[in-house]
Amino acid sequence: MRFSLFCLLLSNFLLAQNNFPKDYFSPPLDIPMQLSGNFGELRPNHFHAGFDFKTQQKEGLKVFASAEGYVSRIKISTFGNGKTIYITHPNGYTSVYAHLQKAVGTIQDFITKTHYTEQAFEVEMFLKQGEIPVKKGEWIALSGNSGASEGPHLHYEIRDSETEYIINPMLFGFDTGFKDTKKPILAGLYVYPINSQTIVNKSQRPLLVNFSLQKDGSFLSDKVQANGPIGFGIITNDYDDVSFNKNGVYRVNSFLNGKYSFGYQFDTYSFDDMRYVNALIDYSKYKQTQQRVQKLFMENKYNLPFVATDEAKGQITPIPNLDQIYRIEVSDFYGNLTSVTVPVQFDSSSAIIPAVTEFSPYFVKANKDNLFEKENASVFFPAGTFYDDFALNFDFKNKVLNLHDDSVPAHTSFTISITDSQFSKEQSEKIYIGRMEGDKYNYNYTFRKDSVFSAKVKTLGKYKLLSDTIAPKITISKPIEGKWLSQDTIQLQISDIGSGIKNYNGFLNEKWVLFEYDNKTNKITHFFSDEFLKDGANELKVIVIDNVGNSTTFETRFFRSLKNKK
């Protein structure tokens, strides 16, 4: 184990020092680089895969290819990265440009052609070398706010073309574009009793530990006294001198009596590693407070390759008559370092604050298959669905499946099933399993066998069978029926109060036309083209279908003068 730990630490060091080309990639924007998000930052259900470049709080900035290569992939999505371009380079790497407003030139022509060939807004294209070559610094797109973006910016990544592993852009020389003299901020230090017998500082619950600044710039915490295995967690973030945004740290290491205990460094990882962010943080606390406490220990070992641990998985067991020193070091890519020293002692005092005990006849073993049934409901958790064992709150009452709550993260999907024989075949086609979110239920793709309805889901919570017989709604802010139009676009709002919208299609003079969808406003927009317009009367039809097959058709007639335009 010590040898494998040494090898992991050595490989991380060598990776950071590897001969990545430092001047091969140029910045994708022609404005000073400022980050609103950095590589490895902790995000909901994932580690951030690249840089978020600020775009002066607006859309429409020119985006340039970072190096020569060819467009190898284009993906247009209503969520996630939105409109995204991938450029593969001859040096073995691929650069990614996401949340775009639109592409330009040959690339946009190719996208538009694909939209109409597939008759869909959401499309994914894989291109061969030579189809769309690009030069370094070539203008490829306009920055935007598409997909799941929460504000205008450019998301930028560098990947290994063969393995698809994402690599920290700092390793390619982007660090020279920023100034950072600030140490990471240590905003909180927590100690955790690992098992139900451990008492730490007279508590059987996790505790916040006070610490104070020392003359040398480091921190010293209050003594931690315990009688069983414990672990530590920290709240930490970083700032640079340029962006003034709260970002993630680059490296965290901990040591017990000078020997390595637990740590990680954000150089590279795969997309398969992403969801392990929920194992690294105190997920329950995050769901309660939105604070991300990064745990420096494991209860059950999880397979996150860039995390290194000692044989105890980062856990510390106080020893009678022996004072121990635990030290945590947090640093950014520039080597600015913050450290805190924690004195650890054995103490057999009784608990003043008892543990929160959960009693349930349903107990989940994380490394085994688990099947639970009650009345007309069942749930199957394959081995590896969860990171740790836990007592499951499981009940089926008033036709609602109460499946614990979202304080326990699932790593993979599990199957829930609800049996109800009261529905006819026609009625069953409108039934789906919904999960309660606030005061409403969200749709889950539901498959049916006889009277059993099932869905694969990834979140614990409340589920029930719902019927959706209400068709989607289509509205236009200013009716255009019978009017002469001169504007370049037409915009409609589409919505559905039940299962949600599955797809939509627009037709102009009986020909399919592209409507772009914005998930933030639920609006679809068509940009007029003389190719589909007629001089005089024009017929517009839009059909929207929800997830259980209810549909709505919007039809209108307007007039257009093509002669005056010419």
Side-chain angles (χ1 to χ4, degrees):
M1 178 63 188
R2 289 175 181 169
F3 178 75
S4 62
L5 173 60
F6 171 78
C7 289
L8 179 56
L9 292 173
L10 180 61
S11 65
N12 284 343
F13 174 79
L14 291 176
L15 176 63
Q17 302 301 316
N18 199 352
N19 292 322
F20 290 103
K22 304 297 183 184
D23 56 359
Y24 188 87
F25 294 104
S26 61
L29 299 168
D30 61 357
I31 59 174
M33 290 192 298
Q34 288 188 295
L35 294 180
S36 59
N38 66 347
F39 186 84
E41 196 169 275
L42 310 182
R43 298 285 182 88
N45 296 317
H46 70 285
F47 301 102
H48 192 226
F51 282 173
D52 283 344
F53 285 114
K54 291 186 177 184
T55 56
Q56 301 174 337
Q57 299 181 328
K58 60 185 178 182
E59 299 185 40
L61 273 63
K62 290 184 176 181
V63 177
F64 303 95
S66 283
E68 68 169 326
Y70 69 96
V71 177
S72 55
R73 180 184 176 193
I74 304 169
K75 186 173 183 179
I76 310 296
S77 174
T78 56
F79 295 95
N81 281 337
K83 298 180 180 181
T84 309
I85 294 173
Y86 302 73
I87 297 177
T88 295
H89 308 282
N91 66 344
Y93 300 103
T94 296
S95 56
V96 182
Y97 313 77
H99 301 309
L100 301 171
Q101 182 187 86
K102 62 179 295 184
V104 297
T106 304
I107 303 174
Q108 184 58 44
D109 291 342
F110 184 86
I111 294 171
T112 301
K113 181 180 178 181
T114 304
H115 282 309
Y116 280 89
T117 300
E118 299 188 12
Q119 295 193 353
F121 172 59
E122 290 195 280
V123 292
E124 187 169 13
M125 299 146 269
F126 293 92
L127 293 81
K128 297 179 180 179
Q129 186 174 357
E131 286 191 75
I132 304 182
V134 295
K135 298 178 181 179
K136 183 173 184 176
E138 182 177 336
W139 180 23
I140 59 170
L142 295 173
S143 68
N145 187 32
S146 60
S149 171
E150 296 180 355
H153 72 279
L154 174 68
H155 176 82
Y156 176 81
E157 299 175 16
I158 298 177
R159 303 182 184 180
D160 183 294
S161 299
E162 182 177 352
T163 65
E164 283 285 307
Y165 272 58
I166 319 107
I167 305 171
N168 193 335
M170 290 291 194
L171 297 170
F172 292 88
F174 278 84
D175 56 313
T176 60
F178 305 98
K179 183 179 180 182
D180 185 355
T181 61
K182 298 178 180 179
K183 294 181 179 181
I185 303 297
L186 187 63
L189 173 65
Y190 285 83
V191 61
Y192 291 80
I194 299 295
N195 59 42
S196 59
Q197 287 75 44
T198 295
I199 299 171
V200 54
N201 289 359
K202 300 182 180 180
S203 173
Q204 291 181 294
R205 304 181 194 177
L207 290 175
L208 187 65
V209 181
N210 294 323
F211 54 89
S212 58
L213 182 64
Q214 305 299 293
K215 291 182 179 179
D216 63 357
S218 66
F219 292 93
L220 176 65
S221 84
D222 292 348
K223 288 182 180 179
V224 171
Q225 299 176 312
N227 67 350
I230 59 174
F232 288 91
I234 57 173
I235 299 176
T236 183
N237 51 69
D238 190 40
Y239 297 83
D240 61 36
D241 299 356
V242 179
S243 305
F244 307 107
N245 277 79
K246 183 190 294 184
N247 291 321
V249 299
Y250 172 61
R251 182 189 297 115
V252 177
N253 288 316
S254 64
F255 306 85
L256 181 62
N257 302 322
K259 295 182 178 179
Y260 196 87
S261 176
F262 188 99
Y264 41 91
Q265 180 171 301
F266 290 112
D267 286 323
T268 183
Y269 38 81
S270 72
F271 285 96
D272 291 338
D273 299 331
M274 290 294 201
R275 201 169 175 88
Y276 281 113
V277 67
N278 294 333
L280 183 66
I281 65 172
D282 181 344
Y283 186 83
S284 176
K285 186 173 185 63
Y286 165 66
K287 297 303 292 186
Q288 294 171 2
T289 68
Q290 296 301 297
Q291 290 182 313
R292 292 185 176 91
V293 180
Q294 301 177 42
K295 296 191 296 184
L296 307 182
F297 65 96
M298 299 178 181
E299 294 182 50
N300 290 329
K301 189 171 179 61
Y302 51 84
N303 186 31
L304 189 52
F306 60 80
V307 170
T309 76
D310 60 8
E311 293 178 358
K313 302 185 296 246
Q315 299 181 22
I316 299 131
T317 302
I319 301 171
N321 303 317
L322 178 64
D323 290 349
Q324 300 187 78
I325 298 297
Y326 182 75
R327 189 175 82 258
I328 304 168
E329 295 180 351
V330 182
S331 59
D332 59 27
F333 191 85
Y334 296 84
N336 300 307
L337 185 142
T338 297
S339 67
V340 59
T341 298
V342 186
V344 178
Q345 295 179 339
F346 177 85
D347 180 38
S348 59
S349 298
S350 300
I352 297 176
I353 304 174
V356 177
T357 305
E358 296 181 358
F359 297 98
S360 172
Y362 307 99
F363 192 81
V364 175
K365 299 290 289 184
N367 62 351
K368 294 183 178 180
D369 290 347
N370 297 266
L371 174 64
F372 302 112
E373 300 175 304
K374 187 173 184 180
E375 297 179 8
N376 291 343
S378 67
V379 57
F380 174 67
F381 301 120
T385 300
F386 302 101
Y387 306 113
D388 299 308
D389 303 344
F390 69 102
L392 174 74
N393 295 322
F394 175 69
D395 200 3
F396 187 70
K397 186 182 297 183
N398 299 324
K399 296 189 176 182
V400 176
L401 172 58
N402 293 283
L403 194 58
H404 209 78
D405 57 58
D406 193 19
S407 62
V408 178
H411 189 71
T412 57
S413 299
F414 54 91
T415 303
I416 58 174
S417 298
I418 301 175
T419 302
D420 197 324
S421 58
Q422 68 172 315
F423 304 111
S424 66
K425 181 179 179 181
E426 292 74 19
Q427 290 174 325
S428 295
E429 292 175 353
K430 305 297 182 181
I431 301 298
Y432 66 95
I433 294 177
R435 177 181 177 271
M436 181 176 283
E437 288 265 353
D439 59 352
K440 65 178 182 178
Y441 282 86
N442 285 345
Y443 172 84
N444 291 281
Y445 175 76
T446 303
F447 48 98
R448 177 176 62 89
K449 184 177 181 181
D450 298 326
S451 59
V452 180
F453 300 84
S454 301
K456 287 186 177 295
V457 297
K458 250 184 181 178
T459 307
L460 296 173
K462 293 184 178 181
Y463 292 88
K464 70 180 297 187
L465 292 181
L466 297 170
S467 174
D468 180 8
T469 58
I470 301 174
K473 188 176 181 181
I474 307 173
T475 59
I476 185 169
S477 58
K478 292 183 179 181
I480 61 173
E481 177 67 30
K483 295 183 178 181
W484 286 87
L485 302 184
S486 60
Q487 70 258 30
D488 294 328
T489 63
I490 186 169
Q491 195 171 75
L492 304 172
Q493 188 159 34
I494 60 177
S495 60
D496 186 78
I497 62 172
S499 58
I501 294 169
K502 181 178 182 180
N503 61 51
Y504 65 90
N505 285 285
F507 302 88
L508 187 56
N509 300 317
E510 299 185 345
K511 293 182 178 180
W512 187 92
V513 291
L514 175 66
F515 274 83
E516 298 197 6
Y517 178 71
D518 180 7
N519 71 76
K520 302 174 185 66
T521 61
N522 293 325
K523 291 180 179 179
I524 56 174
T525 304
H526 172 65
F527 296 85
F528 284 128
S529 169
D530 289 354
E531 179 182 355
F532 302 101
L533 288 167
K534 292 181 179 179
D535 190 42
N538 290 265
E539 305 286 341
L540 175 69
K541 180 167 68 174
V542 175
I543 303 171
V544 179
I545 302 174
D546 67 19
N547 279 297
V548 296
N550 300 307
S551 68
T552 296
T553 300
F554 171 91
E555 293 183 281
T556 191
R557 189 186 202 206
F558 64 90
F559 294 86
R560 185 85 168 189
S561 175
L562 302 184
K563 296 178 181 179
N564 293 338
K565 185 176 180 181
K566 294 177 181 177

